[in-house]
Amino acid sequence: MIPEELRYTEEHEWVARTGEDTVRIGITDYAQEQLGDVVFVQLPEIGQTVNSGDTLGEVESTKSVSDIFAPLEGEVVGRNDALDQQPELVNSDPYGEGWMVEIKLSDPASADDLLDAGAYKALVEKE
């Protein structure tokens, strides 16, 4: 399942525009399948400034602990606090209720540089 309207990273994160200069970020269906049952999600605080490639938090599953990386530069303006009590939302609805953070972008055009659905599908098929 790779929604066409989203952008993607090579680290298996998705990015959805939520406004002119804001995006919502989560991990892809492929990523949650690889992780297995998610039992804990650590997210950044609102107001934190991130650079592309910075660690945003962690996802802990029954198999491993994986870092969440900032795909773009900006300021954290939202976080999915529901994941504190229901980390399994990452597994059951990775593109919806399992979203992780919202970022106000330093450069709104930078989101266009991420992978489109076709390029991400090709990446997943190679793995």
Side-chain angles (χ1 to χ4, degrees), residues 8-126:
Y8 300 89
T9 71
E10 292 182 1
E11 290 77 30
H12 305 289
E13 294 162 351
W14 57 263
V15 176
R17 285 207 179 268
T18 55
E20 195 172 301
D21 62 353
T22 56
V23 293
R24 182 172 277 183
I25 299 164
I27 66 170
T28 64
D29 187 53
Y30 175 83
Q32 70 82 19
E33 282 182 9
Q34 298 303 306
L35 283 169
D37 293 335
V38 174
V39 295
F40 178 75
V41 179
Q42 177 189 1
L43 298 173
E45 295 302 317
I46 291 176
Q48 182 176 332
T49 301
V50 295
N51 292 309
S52 181
D54 284 357
T55 301
L56 273 178
E58 292 180 342
V59 176
E60 185 177 331
S61 72
T62 53
K63 292 182 184 178
S64 67
V65 176
S66 298
D67 287 333
I68 306 163
F69 297 101
L72 302 161
E73 184 178 315
E75 177 186 349
V76 176
V77 294
R79 52 177 280 159
N80 188 352
D81 291 329
L83 298 180
D84 292 342
Q85 300 300 317
Q86 295 179 285
E88 67 275 6
L89 290 172
V90 172
N91 295 117
S92 64
D93 192 8
Y95 299 112
E97 295 298 316
W99 68 276
M100 296 184 176
V101 296
E102 289 187 348
I103 294 179
K104 181 176 182 181
L105 301 175
S106 300
D107 175 11
S110 62
D112 298 334
D113 297 334
L114 298 173
L115 302 173
D116 64 16
Y120 181 68
K121 183 177 180 186
L123 174 78
V124 169
E125 288 173 351
K126 285 183 194 172

